[in-house]
Each structure stands twice: as C-alpha cells, then as structure tokens.
Amino acid sequence: TVRLRATDSDGGSSDGEIAAGDLDGNAFVVTVENAAPVIAPIADLSTSEGAAVTLNASFTDPAGIAYANQPGTESFTYSIDWGDGSQPTSGNVTNVQSGLAGQSLTSGTISQSHTYHDNGTYRVTLTVTDDNAGVGSSRFVVNVSNVAPQLTVDPTVPTTLVGQPFVVTGTYADVSGDSVVVYVDVGDGQLRRAVLDNGSFRFTHAFEQAGP
C-alpha cells in the first residue's frame, strides 16, 4: 500500500492510501522485484590429493529489514559443485547478518571443506539462492597436485653369497590409488621391476660376482 499526505501552506493536511491494484484516479502500483545474491570474487585454490581444501566465501543481498531490531526476514541456501563428480555440498546459510533497508546490505558467509582423491584441475561452482528464488553463482579453480607413493623397505640382511638369492621386500601405498611400479637398482645402473601383490612388493636377485 502506498500512503500519501497533502499539506498546504497554512498547515492543513489530508491523508490517503492507495492499495496495490487500485487503478482509480491517480492511483498507481509499485512493483518491487527481487535481486539475486552477489558472491564476492573467489580466488583459485591449491591443495594436494588426499588433503582437504577449504572454501571461504561471502555474499551480499540488497534485501534488508525495514527498521532496527526487526527480525531478519531473508534466508539463503547454498550448493557447491566441486567439479570431481562427487555429490555437491549443500545446506542452509547459518551465518547471515541482516542489513537495514536503504543503509546496508544483508550479508552472509559460507565455509566448507572438500578432499580430492586424484591430482588435476577442478572447476568449482558455488551457488547461493535466496528465499525469493534469486540465484547468484561464482566459479573458481582448485589445482590439486600429485603426491608421490610411499615406500617402506623391510629390514634386509646386508650380505649374501654369489649365486644365492638376495631378497628385498616391503610395502607401498598411494593416496589416490594410482597404479604403482617399484623398481630396484642392485648397483649396476639397471632398473629391475619388483613383483607387486596388493600393497606389498618382493624382489629377488642373484649376484654373479663378489663385491661391495
């Protein structure tokens, strides 16, 4: 409803109201359209495979309360597509500060973590939706670096006889589940492949001559 007051130079006044949809005489209708949330620019992030990366984002929305101490009336949800085919992270925005109409914007923050299981470049999309179906989105990149496999060698007797098997055993692991090859150099500059078995390796070699 639009309210009007007319006042003359002698102090006389009269009030009137115009309800939305009342088109009689000089009446008019004011339509206020929703404005979508605006997400602050997000810098690209970096992490290693198997390690969590944290997104900290903020946004503003023009919707505000009419007067101080009025309960906030705007609510928001968010969704994060991490770009790796995993289920998006979504929920309600719980940290919201209501702005005062004509003076300050409503603002909110989002903080979520995610772990990538393989190295690569991932394009992430953050979407914020207000309770009037206004949608704001922002995109950024997460660069995930490779982590070398871990290799553990079992204690080995440092001596052997010429022509007798010399055995090296141990374990290996890779955080991303990449295929792993274990090579052994017995001192002649040649790389020989060990036999792998579900996280363990075994290498056998017979030296043809004595020496250190």
Side-chain angles (χ1 to χ4, degrees):
T1 299
V2 178
R3 293 181 173 84
L4 301 92
R5 170 169 290 183
T7 304
D8 63 23
S9 58
D10 292 323
S13 65
S14 62
D15 296 331
E17 288 188 359
I18 301 172
D22 181 3
L23 302 180
D24 294 335
N26 295 321
F28 57 91
V29 174
V30 176
T31 301
V32 181
E33 296 183 351
N34 183 53
V38 177
I39 302 172
I42 303 172
D44 293 344
L45 302 175
S46 297
T47 188
S48 300
E49 56 186 12
V53 62
T54 299
L55 163 65
N56 293 306
S58 62
F59 66 89
T60 57
D61 190 279
I65 58 178
Y67 50 86
N69 300 321
Q70 177 191 5
T73 57
E74 191 84 353
S75 61
F76 303 88
T77 60
Y78 69 90
S79 178
I80 307 170
D81 182 346
W82 297 102
D84 59 354
S86 63
Q87 186 72 18
T89 302
S90 59
N92 296 317
V93 180
T94 56
N95 187 13
V96 177
Q97 298 295 323
S98 295
L100 189 60
Q103 298 183 29
S104 60
L105 299 175
T106 292
S107 62
T109 58
I110 298 165
S111 182
Q112 289 293 334
S113 297
H114 184 71
T115 300
Y116 291 93
H117 298 290
D118 201 3
N119 59 291
T121 299
Y122 299 90
R123 302 188 182 279
V124 184
T125 302
L126 167 63
T127 301
V128 177
T129 305
D130 64 25
D131 53 14
N132 291 303
V135 178
S137 63
S138 181
R139 295 177 176 83
F140 61 99
V141 169
V142 176
N143 295 298
V144 182
S145 59
N146 184 55
V147 175
Q150 295 180 334
L151 186 67
T152 302
V153 180
D154 296 333
T156 304
V157 178
T159 59
T160 188
L161 299 175
V162 173
Q164 295 297 310
F166 175 71
V167 179
V168 180
T169 60
T171 59
Y172 65 91
D174 188 89
V175 296
S176 68
D178 290 338
S179 59
V180 175
V181 178
V182 177
Y183 292 100
V184 181
D185 180 354
V186 296
D188 58 2
Q190 297 185 38
L191 295 178
R192 297 172 173 84
R193 295 180 64 161
V195 177
L196 306 184
D197 182 17
N198 194 30
S200 300
F201 71 88
R202 180 182 179 86
F203 175 79
T204 303
H205 180 76
F207 292 93
E208 298 178 355
Q209 60 183 16

